[in-house]
Amino acid sequence: MPRTTLGSGLAAIAVVALASSGLTRRLEAPAVTVQILAINDFHGNLEPPDGANGLINGTPAGGAEYLATHLARAVAEQPNSIVVAAGDVIGASPLFSSLFHDEPTIAAMNAMHLAVTSVGNHEFDKGLPELLRLARGGCHPVDGCQAGATFPGARFQYLSANVVRTGTDAPPFSATAVRTVGGVKIGFIGETLQDTPRIVSPAGTRGLTFLDEATRANAQAQALARQGVHAIVLLIHEGGSQSADDAAADPNGCADFTGAIVPIAQRLTSEIRVVISGHTHRFYNCEIAGHVVTSAASYGRMITRVSLRIDRATDRVVHASAVNEVVTRDVAKDPEQTRLLERYAPLAKAAGDRSVGTIRADIVRSANAAGESPLGDVIADAELAATRAPEAGGAVVAFMNGGGIRADLLARGAGQAAAQSEVTYRDLFAVQPFGNVLTVITLTGEQIKQVLEQQFDNPRPGQRLMLQVSNGFTYEYRNTAPAAQHVDAASIVIQGRRLEPSDRVRVVASDFVIDSRLYPALTAGTERKVAVTDIDALVAYVKARSPLAPGPQDRIRRLD
């Protein structure tokens, strides 16, 4: 008969008892509630944005001082909280931030305790080296330390799961991040839209490859699961929109929802329970294929509160819900954000408040049914004026992408007629904040026809990539015509003369428009001549034409 010593028997009993006790504790362990506070598309809007950009359904919203207060109050209500973002924290920023290479925005996000963010397309506006500098710290290579001290960099983490260095599988930033909140682990995956190279200057994405969003996210979710992390959130800079205009839509609605985020969400693994999205600047709160999918508009005007109920025993999400809240301006200003703004304000004021000229009335970017806007007409005319002279390129027509118009040009005393309303450099910079370089190229008449047809080739269903055109260029089109047959070739007229396929025409557009491949026919242009930046062209035009009137919206005619 085998012998069992008393000591070994007691030890075995003890082991069983301890294991049973541990199992019981895990089985009885209550679930924990964790709050994720999310923003997207902040775009350096430290000061409260103006006009329609500063409203949510008619309520004034946004501004770093108010956003920080709303976030702090939300954390006070639920200490198990983490602050995250879904890209475009910087880029296409107002003068207050962009004048200092978006360093003030990084500092503001540090003070708001932002933990992780995905990269967005605008994070790449100035190229990867500059983004790495902002993340890691250090003075700007040209302008140095403008605020008088070495820039410390971001205390939050950038994630870029579907962005890799070309020829490798290595992302420039971590693909994922794991954070412990309330005693449970949450895995974050960060991505931007695969189409980023199409909408960012080629110099900004040089050396990088952008991969399929869903495929890459699913692979990273599997990797997190192998680490024992099962509460997984995707931060993705891609989105959609409700059917109604934001002015009439429910901030927590999902009415007739469409957009690129839909097929992505439908392909995601069930391990990814929450998708915090962005890019479209719209607000929504959806359930798509079992995933909670949210967006908090843009410019810091809203926050999304995501509530996760996580089982401590399995580290899995047992319930997820979200609500979008307006960042109202009826709360106390956050003092740390106020000190930050005051630090940079004197440096920005002189440049921003410089008077450039006057306007007669509001000049807005809203387009008519044909896709032409009063402000688009003005900007196209400004680009043509800056490059018409032979020594500047000899342009005879300008093409300007409507998506690059970032704000309206409003008369002082919004909505009121103003025969001599002052326009400042700050106003114009808000309209065109990218600093793109105007470039003159030669195209044939046939190539110009191809460019116009490519306005209807947007892979996003129902959206046109309408170019704004300069004075003296007119044409007609049918929106419902077959591909490559939208534009009536006989209707294309330049300076009163019908465009012939064999004509050679000097065309000006920004380097972004020419090189982004949104309109591939532009890349065939020859005899390049680099001119001034788009903002410099607009400043010169307003100075020369003050008081400036809105564009006539009579250059593009839609026939259906």
Side-chain angles (χ1 to χ4, degrees):
M1 185 173 68
R3 294 190 308 170
T4 301
T5 65
L6 180 60
S8 62
L10 290 174
I13 293 172
V15 169
V16 172
L18 286 171
S20 176
S21 174
L23 178 60
T24 300
R25 283 197 301 271
R26 287 179 62 84
L27 290 174
E28 293 177 350
V32 62
T33 298
V34 171
Q35 178 175 244
I36 299 173
L37 300 169
I39 62 171
N40 54 273
D41 297 276
F42 185 72
H43 288 293
N45 277 261
L46 298 171
E47 298 177 302
D50 295 327
N53 287 344
L55 300 174
I56 293 291
N57 287 358
T59 299
E65 294 165 302
Y66 304 108
L67 174 60
T69 295
H70 279 270
L71 289 172
R73 289 186 175 185
V75 172
E77 293 171 8
Q78 171 52 274
N80 294 336
S81 294
I82 184 170
V83 181
V84 303
D88 278 7
V89 171
I90 59 171
S93 304
L95 183 67
F96 194 97
S97 183
S98 63
L99 190 64
F100 308 103
H101 308 288
D102 280 319
E103 291 175 11
T105 296
I106 300 295
M109 291 296 118
N110 287 343
M112 291 184 211
H113 305 290
L114 178 65
V116 293
T117 181
S118 65
V119 292
N121 56 286
H122 281 293
E123 258 83 22
F124 295 100
D125 280 349
K126 304 302 180 183
L128 179 59
E130 172 63 359
L131 180 56
L132 290 170
R133 181 190 74 85
L134 290 172
R136 299 170 180 173
C139 298
H140 189 270
V142 175
D143 293 333
C145 292
Q146 294 170 281
T150 300
F151 175 63
R155 293 202 296 266
F156 53 89
Q157 186 174 3
Y158 273 111
L159 304 179
S160 60
N162 72 323
V163 184
V164 297
R165 296 182 186 274
T166 301
T168 76
D169 195 48
F173 298 98
S174 297
T176 64
V178 178
R179 295 289 185 269
T180 299
V181 184
V184 292
K185 292 181 179 179
I186 303 176
F188 294 95
I189 304 168
E191 295 187 317
T192 189
L193 66 158
Q194 187 179 11
D195 273 350
T196 291
R198 287 170 51 88
I199 57 176
V200 172
S201 170
T205 58
R206 185 174 294 122
L208 298 172
T209 299
F210 294 75
L211 305 174
D212 179 78
E213 303 96 336
T215 301
R216 196 70 172 181
N218 288 341
Q220 295 302 326
Q222 291 177 3
L224 287 168
R226 288 194 294 270
Q227 300 173 38
V229 180
H230 298 288
I232 301 174
V233 175
L234 175 61
L235 308 174
I236 181 169
H237 192 71
E238 179 60 288
S241 64
Q242 301 185 65
S243 58
D245 184 82
D246 273 356
D250 176 5
N252 283 288
C254 192
D256 299 322
F257 190 76
T258 60
I261 195 63
V262 175
I264 294 173
Q266 290 172 337
R267 293 172 53 208
L268 292 177
T269 174
S270 59
E271 291 275 3
I272 300 172
R273 189 65 182 275
V274 175
V275 178
I276 296 170
S277 65
H279 185 57
T280 57
H281 291 201
R282 308 298 287 271
F283 48 62
Y284 46 83
N285 189 352
C286 300
E287 181 87 14
I288 302 176
H291 311 282
V292 174
V293 181
T294 72
S295 175
S298 59
Y299 307 143
R301 294 174 295 162
M302 301 190 81
I303 59 174
T304 300
R305 290 195 191 211
V306 178
S307 179
L308 298 181
R309 192 77 174 154
I310 302 174
D311 189 328
R312 289 185 184 274
T314 63
D315 291 320
R316 293 184 182 277
V317 177
V318 296
H319 179 75
S321 63
V323 62
N324 285 328
E325 294 184 0
V326 179
V327 175
T328 59
R329 301 178 192 167
D330 57 357
V331 298
K333 295 180 178 180
D334 178 83
E336 189 169 3
Q337 295 294 324
T338 299
R339 287 191 293 271
L340 176 68
L341 295 180
E342 290 174 346
R343 176 185 176 193
Y344 284 95
L347 302 174
K349 183 173 177 57
D353 290 349
R354 175 167 55 91
S355 180
V356 174
T358 58
I359 56 176
R360 296 181 184 273
D362 292 348
I363 307 179
V364 299
R365 53 185 168 156
S366 299
N368 60 16
E372 183 179 356
S373 75
L375 189 50
D377 286 350
V378 167
I379 295 172
D381 288 350
E383 295 184 355
L384 179 61
T387 55
R388 181 184 283 118
E391 62 273 18
V396 296
V397 61
F399 292 148
M400 195 277 163
N401 62 313
I405 308 174
R406 306 302 284 198
D408 298 327
L409 194 55
L410 300 177
R412 299 290 185 261
Q416 299 177 4
Q420 295 285 333
S421 182
E422 183 185 45
V423 176
T424 66
Y425 183 80
R426 185 193 311 277
D427 297 328
L428 298 183
F429 193 90
V431 171
Q432 288 197 286
F434 301 107
N436 292 324
V437 177
L438 299 183
T439 305
V440 185
I441 56 176
T442 297
L443 293 177
T444 65
E446 176 59 30
Q447 288 168 333
I448 288 177
K449 169 68 160 55
Q450 292 172 11
V451 170
L452 298 179
E453 292 290 352
Q454 286 163 0
Q455 296 175 114
F456 306 91
D457 291 343
N458 190 346
R460 297 167 183 266
Q463 296 184 27
R464 295 170 295 175
L465 291 167
M466 298 303 293
L467 290 162
Q468 307 300 293
V469 300
S470 55
N471 184 37
F473 184 92
T474 58
Y475 70 95
E476 299 174 347
Y477 75 89
R478 296 184 186 275
N479 195 50
T480 56
Q485 299 178 41
H486 295 278
V487 177
D488 177 8
S491 73
I492 306 175
V493 173
I494 300 180
Q495 304 301 332
R497 177 181 174 276
R498 175 179 167 179
L499 180 70
E500 299 296 336
S502 60
D503 287 345
R504 290 174 59 81
V505 181
R506 293 292 278 166
V507 175
V508 61
S510 72
D511 56 345
F512 163 74
V513 173
I514 292 172
D515 295 330
S516 67
R517 302 196 65 82
L518 288 170
Y519 315 90
L522 286 173
T523 63
T526 59
E527 302 173 288
R528 281 196 175 210
K529 171 74 173 179
V530 175
V532 298
T533 64
D534 51 11
I535 181 63
D536 287 343
L538 185 58
V539 167
Y541 189 77
V542 173
K543 281 183 177 180
R545 299 301 181 98
S546 292
L548 187 67
Q553 294 181 277
D554 61 357
R555 302 165 188 179
I556 306 172
R557 184 182 178 196
R558 178 176 171 177
L559 300 177
D560 58 359

